Amino acid sequence: MQVYNAPLRDMGFVLNELHVDDGFGDLPHFAEITPDLTEAVLEEAGKVCRDVILPLNRIGDEQGSRLENGSVKTPPGYAEAFKVLSEGGWTSLAVSPEWGGQGLPHAVNNLVEEMLCSTNVAFSLCPGLTHGAAKAIEGYATRELAEKYLPRLVKGEWSGTMCLTEAQAGTDLGLLRTSAAPADDGSYRVSGSKIFITWGDHDLTSNIIHLVLARLPDAPPGVKGISLFLVPKFLLDENGNPGTFNNVLVRHTEHKMGINSSPTCQLDFDGSTGWLVGEPHRGLEAMFAMMNVARVGVGIQGLGVGEVAYQSAVWYAKDRVQGRSVNGTQRPDLPADPIIIHPDVRRMLMIMRANNEGCRMLAGWISRAIDAQYHGEDPAVVARATDFVALMTPVVKALFTDLGFETANLAVQVYGGHGYIRESGVEQFVRDSRIAMIYEGTNGIQALDLVGRKLPANGGRSLRTLFHPISAFIEENGGEGPLKPLVTALQQAFGALQLATGMIAERGLKDREEGSAAATDYLRLMGLVTVGYCFAKAAKISHAKLAEGAEDSAFYAAKIKTATFFFERILPQATACFLAIKAGKASMMAMTADEF
Ligand SMILES: Cc1cc2nc3c(=O)[nH]c(=O)nc-3n(C[C@H](O)[C@H](O)[C@H](O)COP(=O)(O)OP(=O)(O)OC[C@H]3O[C@@H](n4cnc5c(N)ncnc54)[C@H](O)[C@@H]3O)c2cc1C
């Protein structure tokens, strides 16, 4: 059974208690956004997601979106649900009021996004991509273009896509061939075929605004010759409404492992009219504005699916009775004990819980940095926030999606054979979460981005935005007291991360392949240490709250238990990552390609 109630208490903890001293400070821009207001927003969002979106998750999976006579039909209920979201302003929470958005912090928006991903990740991709497209247009399009397209994207009357991939150009966008020829009126004629375009066509909105990467006639080869174009499905008439069809043809939709209701389209642009967004040949820069929003968003997909998988598994583990406790019967009133009493089931539930709480804390941290990046007043804070977001984006994308998939998989294991059966609803989580490790740059590519670009950027300046708060925390909290075992474990793992960083930098100077060979383990090591730091902070706050006799003692006591589990049973993986990094590339690259 798919069980979901928004984890509002934990979300409130992350939003209002955990990161208040993270160095990004209070932002005057959000002075009116009080905890009472955000609590009400999150509570309402939780209801909409549970009552409107979740019931469509199974229908969407079973019926999928279908291509009929050249256009895509979504499953029953989707159009109505999208209307509820857009009319309720849920699709534009973090967009500036200048463009019709709600002007709330990303820290709030990302929690609502988590709820949407928990309740129907395939559906959530449509508003998610629309939000990303709006960010790219806001940041890079001319004012005239933005005025025509942004307000209706923000309102959810139209949706957005990102069109990068071509059959021969996946990870390597330098290979893309779609062309854009200038026309006399300042527009361009875009021609070429894009594959795998998420929500590339559908019947939820009256227009679809494609952001398309293409080459101008004089473009240099490779990634330095790519420009970005805004290409609507329907050209606008003189009143700004969708008019003439713009020759964006849906050739095919993919049959996939999961996210069945999210149409994945092959789109052929056949002399379609488009407008340049940003500078010629610098389209990737503009597209990255969208992709960075999207990468954090994809990370949140992992977390969202992980949360619903966890809640569904807890429900089952309390309901299903099998066997007796090895320490003696616990429920004599039942024919057997509920499986939640067995240590191995606990192991799974605790991993799932720690994965979710850990990722939620890190998501809260990067979200605050994103807000500081956009709205900070002190240039030093903005610079620090920008560095932190750049550094942590690949970690959030890859770590959360790896852990989300692990958590979904564990849910199936908790259900046993019943989990493998469609009816249980939990095998959908495995299928739906798998794609997040692949799109928006595979997790392997995220790790290469971290090691190859983010670590060396600005003489290692970005790294300091992470290392400084962790070392300050360890220094401050290493003394005797209940935190000591946690801080000691964090210190060891952090030491391993520092050593690994130096090792990669040094070896990489002699042989660049060494950095690439270490990248995935390094990203995981950094993720574990960062989540460890968040758990240690959470435990510190919780101990203080318990000592002062806080009303909500059960929440804080549980937080300490989860943190302790993380430190004792998950953080030790940091040592394995370190040893793998230390071993270097030799055994990985020893075989010739022919030997495989
Ligand atoms: C359901 C779905 C939805 C999608 N939605 C969109 C969308 O909306 N818009 C869009 O433009 N695209 C979309 N994509 C495409 C997606 O982003 C690509 O599939 C992804 O970027 C990987 O490209 P590829 O499939 O060509 O794999 P390849 O690039 O062929 O990679 C294959 C393997 O090789 C590895 N690899 C490749 N190059 C390197 C390298 N230099 N170093 C190390 N390893 C490397 C990869 O990590 C991967 O493991 C979607 C794909 C799917 C399946």
Side-chain angles (χ1 to χ4, degrees), residues 8 11-12 14-16 27 30 32-46 49 89-90 92-95 102-116 131 300 360 363-371:
L8 294 172
M11 290 179 163
V14 169
L15 193 61
N16 300 317
L27 299 172
F30 293 121
E32 284 166 23
I33 313 295
T34 60
D36 282 351
L37 174 71
T38 56
E39 195 181 317
V41 169
L42 293 176
E43 200 179 318
E44 190 53 31
C49 286
W90 299 110
S92 60
L93 284 184
V95 182
Q102 315 295 311
L104 285 172
H106 284 85
V108 176
N109 181 64
N110 287 346
L111 291 170
V112 175
E113 210 164 299
E114 184 200 315
M115 296 179 194
L116 276 172
H131 177 68
I300 289 171
R360 187 171 299 116
W365 195 10
I366 197 171
S367 302
R368 271 181 59 92
I370 293 170
D371 286 323

Side-chain angles (χ1 to χ4, degrees), residues 362 366 387-397 466 526 530:
L362 177 48
I366 197 171
D387 285 344
F388 183 78
V389 173
L391 179 74
M392 295 313 290
T393 294
V395 178
V396 164
K397 194 278 177 181
L466 176 70
M526 184 179 274
T530 312

Side-chain angles (χ1 to χ4, degrees), residues 162 164-165 170-171 196-198 256 435 439-440 442 445 448:
M162 51 193 291
L164 294 78
T165 306
T171 301
F196 294 167
I197 305 309
T198 297
K256 309 191 291 295
I435 183 58
Y439 57 24
E440 279 310 319
T442 63
I445 296 300
L448 292 177

Side-chain angles (χ1 to χ4, degrees), residues 12 46 89 104 171 253 306 318 345 361 416:
L104 285 172
T171 301
T253 51
K318 288 180 176 173
V345 174
M361 288 190 285

Side-chain angles (χ1 to χ4, degrees), residues 143-192:
R143 182 87 199 169
E144 191 192 350
L145 205 56
E147 277 171 2
K148 272 192 188 159
Y149 289 93
L150 251 185
R152 293 175 80 174
L153 272 172
V154 170
K155 266 193 208 157
E157 282 181 34
W158 301 341
S159 73
T161 72
M162 51 193 291
C163 302
L164 294 78
T165 306
E166 297 175 14
Q168 78 294 347
T171 301
D172 188 354
L173 291 171
L175 298 174
L176 71 82
R177 294 189 198 127
T178 295
S179 64
D184 293 340
D185 61 357
S187 67
Y188 294 81
R189 299 291 168 266
V190 176
S191 300

